[in-house]
Amino acid sequence: MNNILIMIRKQMKDTFKNKAVLIQLILLPVVSFILERVIRPEGVPELMYTKMFAAMYMAMAPLTAMSAIIAEEKEKNTLRVLMMSNVKPGQYLTGIGAYVWIISMIGSVLFAVSFPAADMPFFFLVMGVGFLISIVIGAVIGITAKNQMSAGSVGAMAMIILSFIPMFAMFNEGIGAVARFLYTQQTRFLLDAMSFAEIKWDGAVILAANAILAVVMFFVAFRKKGLE
Amino acid sequence: MIQCTGIEKSYTDKKVLSGISFDIPDGQIFGLLGPSGAGKTTLIKILTGQLEFEEGSAMILQKNVRRLSGEDKKKIGIMMDQFGVYERLSCYDNLKVFADIYGTPKEKIMETLKLVGLEDSAKKPASALSKGMRVRLQLARVFMVSPEIIFLDEPTTGLDPMTMKQIHKIILDKKKHGCTIFLTTHNMEEAAKLCDTVALLNEGVIVDSGAPDEICRRFNHQKRIVLHLNTGEDMELPHSKESAEKISKLLEEERVETIHSSEPTLETVFLELTGRKLEEE
């Protein structure tokens, strides 16, 4: 069996026994699902909670899952066993990345049910792209972290920057000026517009620049530390 | 099957292995004995291609360890003390990951669990296993392929005598099936019991090597006769005419409670050669 599929399957089995990760994956979608139906103050735009939480989820779930998995395997030396068993670093990272992307997409289905059916393809496309960038950033943290604890602290910091700055930008213009350079803010704009026609060139450039920066950081980290 | 010639390895400025050379023929158990920090794990890492080294050459399966292919790695089983298991997965699922990687049939998973005595714990998560069971699970993972060479890094450290005995049985059984086994330990009894050949490693240098009996025989001058006297005092005497006369006199005076011969062991040989104990921590 292909080593990438073996990594995905291993991780799937592990997730169902790992309550901490399971909660992390379903908490935000469930909270937004409930809030959207229970609390609707006057003047609040439709689907505000869903869009806000979806953008936060995009930065939180894949980033922490990816960094935590790599850091745990490094710390417990199961990663070394895999490498000694002829699993290539690329196969491992692709397998784990694919797994995180799949479960994040499954989590985003819980957000998607709040949208009209016609908006779903756009929503999944935006989320899918955002997840990919977060996964690469999560891999950088996992590769560079010495252990699970340092992956957790660095991951939490990255998560706060990427998910909370766009949220605060809603209430403060100064923060908004900085936040627009983050892919999470750009994807939030896209979710607000919910239309291919509304994609602006500067937003697309910022998204691409974020993606390129994440990939460059990944290669620098991998070249420097490998999967040791 | 395993050949090492003049291996040199340093970490920054500190030399950790120096001039390491030995040959291990097929089907033998080779023991590398040395205290903690002697360089045993470093040598295993070098021989299994996990670590680069500066000088010398190392060959496994007639190939340079720097150029081992994926197929070669399938013929090598490695169990290192630091290697972990997937805590949340069951014993069965832990092995299944590696069975899938190696393309091993599923039936072999239960066979292997039975071989290491874990068949009743197949569904237990690894986190629920005792230290001894965990070692057996790690051994089972090694056997998911049919390795020609097995590297075991201190496989019995910290285990109770019963589990140790079970692990020894598994190791000897694998030898019977033609495996070459490279074992590191600081337990000289284990080495004397299992190994065909041993090398004594101290501070990165092999200070002596050969069959355990042969090494001990070379140090026969350590042989002593130990008397326990009825005064509670112990007396150690060398093998000599003078000692025989002294013992005879003590026996006549009915002062001897017990008398036995003390032979050199790998531990005492190591102590004489290096001034260090094997099991010092």
Side-chain angles (χ1 to χ4, degrees):
Chain A
M1 195 195 288
N2 185 302
N3 286 347
I4 296 172
L5 290 177
I6 296 167
M7 291 304 105
I8 296 174
R9 218 166 64 173
K10 163 186 86 71
Q11 219 48 57
M12 287 282 181
K13 270 186 190 162
D14 190 72
T15 301
F16 292 112
K17 288 165 185 170
N18 189 348
K19 289 185 189 81
V21 170
L22 262 184
I23 289 169
Q24 196 181 62
L25 288 169
I26 59 170
L27 185 68
L28 274 180
V30 169
V31 169
S32 87
F33 185 86
I34 295 167
L35 282 180
E36 204 64 71
R37 280 150 189 83
V38 176
I39 307 168
R40 177 65 66 80
E42 282 290 308
V44 168
E46 204 186 351
L47 297 172
M48 189 198 80
Y49 294 121
T50 306
K51 287 173 183 175
M52 191 172 77
F53 282 123
M56 285 171 74
Y57 183 73
M58 185 190 290
M60 282 180 168
L63 191 146
T64 46
M66 190 74 186
S67 58
I69 292 166
I70 297 173
E72 185 182 7
E73 292 234 40
K74 270 167 59 175
E75 191 173 323
K76 295 191 174 160
N77 276 315
T78 46
L79 190 52
R80 187 173 278 271
V81 185
L82 288 175
M83 298 298 118
M84 288 308 300
S85 312
N86 212 22
V87 175
K88 307 267 184 303
Q91 291 173 330
Y92 172 79
L93 290 168
T94 310
I96 300 300
Y99 152 80
V100 173
W101 191 83
I102 292 166
I103 50 160
S104 303
M105 286 303 277
I106 293 171
S108 68
V109 171
L110 281 169
F111 290 111
V113 291
S114 301
F115 293 109
D119 288 343
M120 285 190 188
F122 186 83
F123 173 76
F124 284 125
L125 178 74
V126 172
M127 292 300 277
V129 171
F131 287 151
L132 280 178
I133 302 174
S134 297
I135 284 167
V136 178
I137 297 171
V140 173
I141 295 169
I143 287 169
T144 48
K146 276 191 180 147
N147 49 39
Q148 290 184 80
M149 198 186 269
S150 70
S153 3
V154 178
M157 220 154 63
M159 210 170 71
I160 287 168
I161 293 167
L162 293 170
S163 57
F164 284 92
I165 289 184
M167 194 176 75
F168 294 139
M170 292 164 75
F171 314 106
N172 182 302
E173 273 186 24
I175 296 176
V178 178
R180 68 186 291 270
F181 293 104
L182 297 175
Y183 70 98
T184 39
Q185 176 73 327
Q186 289 303 327
T187 48
R188 207 179 64 78
F189 288 155
L190 290 172
L191 292 180
D192 282 340
M194 205 52 96
S195 157
F196 286 102
E198 292 291 323
I199 299 177
K200 292 184 180 128
W201 72 268
D202 57 336
V205 167
I206 291 172
L207 260 180
N210 272 254
I212 291 166
L213 184 67
V215 170
V216 168
M217 284 193 319
F218 170 79
F219 279 109
V220 170
F222 186 73
R223 230 183 131 156
K224 205 170 167 191
K225 302 225 27 168
L227 281 182
E228 290 298 313
Chain B
M1 191 172 255
I2 304 177
Q3 272 187 316
C4 253
T5 316
I7 297 278
E8 305 273 335
K9 170 75 189 166
S10 304
Y11 287 123
T12 54
D13 288 341
K14 198 184 173 218
K15 190 150 242 179
V16 286
L17 290 175
S18 184
I20 302 293
S21 300
F22 53 77
D23 281 354
I24 308 172
D26 287 347
Q28 280 210 355
I29 301 181
F30 176 87
L32 187 65
L33 272 88
S36 299
K40 303 187 296 289
T41 304
T42 302
L43 188 55
I44 285 198
K45 284 184 176 173
I46 285 173
L47 292 175
T48 51
Q50 297 177 67
L51 197 63
E52 274 299 318
F53 52 101
E54 289 92 42
E55 275 180 57
S57 72
M59 308 275 283
I60 278 191
L61 303 160
Q62 284 87 47
K63 286 195 178 170
N64 188 325
V65 294
R66 288 179 167 126
R67 286 190 277 280
L68 292 174
S69 66
E71 279 309 303
D72 295 329
K73 284 184 181 173
K74 283 186 182 177
K75 294 176 190 164
I76 302 169
I78 309 162
M79 194 199 110
M80 297 187 78
D81 186 33
Q82 314 107 308
F83 280 5
V85 292
Y86 291 109
E87 302 285 338
R88 291 177 290 270
L89 297 187
S90 66
C91 293
Y92 183 92
D93 285 336
N94 259 283
L95 295 190
K96 183 148 191 326
V97 172
F98 293 90
D100 289 343
I101 291 169
Y102 293 127
T104 308
K106 272 184 198 167
E107 304 79 63
K108 198 170 174 188
I109 299 174
M110 279 316 289
E111 269 174 40
T112 313
L113 282 171
K114 204 172 169 186
L115 173 77
V116 298
L118 283 179
E119 69 271 33
D120 295 335
S121 306
K123 289 182 181 168
K124 261 192 198 173
S127 57
L129 300 180
S130 66
K131 186 171 182 200
M133 290 163 100
R134 191 178 284 252
V135 170
R136 281 187 272 160
L137 179 61
Q138 288 176 320
L139 266 180
R141 187 165 60 194
V142 170
F143 302 145
M144 283 321 292
V145 274
S146 300
E148 290 178 25
I149 301 177
I150 301 173
F151 288 91
L152 303 171
D153 189 16
E154 306 200 357
T156 56
T157 301
L159 298 184
D160 62 89
M162 191 64 186
T163 312
M164 207 186 270
K165 214 171 160 185
Q166 288 166 344
I167 306 275
H168 288 169
K169 193 171 167 284
I170 296 167
I171 293 171
L172 289 170
D173 186 57
K174 282 290 154 186
K175 185 200 168 189
K176 223 182 275 175
H177 286 86
C179 283
T180 306
I181 297 163
F182 184 105
L183 171 90
T184 71
T185 181
H186 51 226
N187 180 337
M188 57 96 188
E189 277 174 35
E190 179 174 79
K193 182 182 167 190
L194 298 176
C195 301
D196 300 295
T197 317
V198 296
L200 308 179
L201 186 72
N202 182 50
E203 292 175 352
V205 178
I206 293 180
V207 291
D208 204 351
S209 63
D213 288 350
E214 182 193 306
I215 293 178
C216 293
R217 268 201 305 273
R218 279 205 293 270
F219 285 79
N220 249 349
H221 59 268
Q222 288 185 351
K223 270 202 305 191
R224 292 281 184 277
I225 295 162
V226 182
L227 304 171
H228 183 70
L229 306 181
N230 50 19
T231 54
E233 191 188 338
D234 283 328
M235 188 181 275
E236 268 195 33
L237 300 168
H239 282 227
S240 65
K241 200 178 164 194
E242 292 77 35
S243 299
E245 283 164 6
K246 197 167 186 183
I247 292 165
S248 169
K249 198 175 165 217
L250 286 165
L251 285 168
E252 273 171 24
E253 290 168 3
E254 294 183 345
R255 287 176 59 198
V256 178
E257 215 155 73
T258 61
I259 178 166
H260 67 268
S261 168
S262 164
E263 315 292 338
T265 64
L266 292 173
E267 177 78 56
T268 56
V269 169
F270 192 85
L271 186 67
E272 182 176 329
L273 286 169
T274 67
R276 296 174 72 185
K277 282 186 177 176
L278 271 171
E279 296 201 51
E280 72 186 10
E281 292 293 329

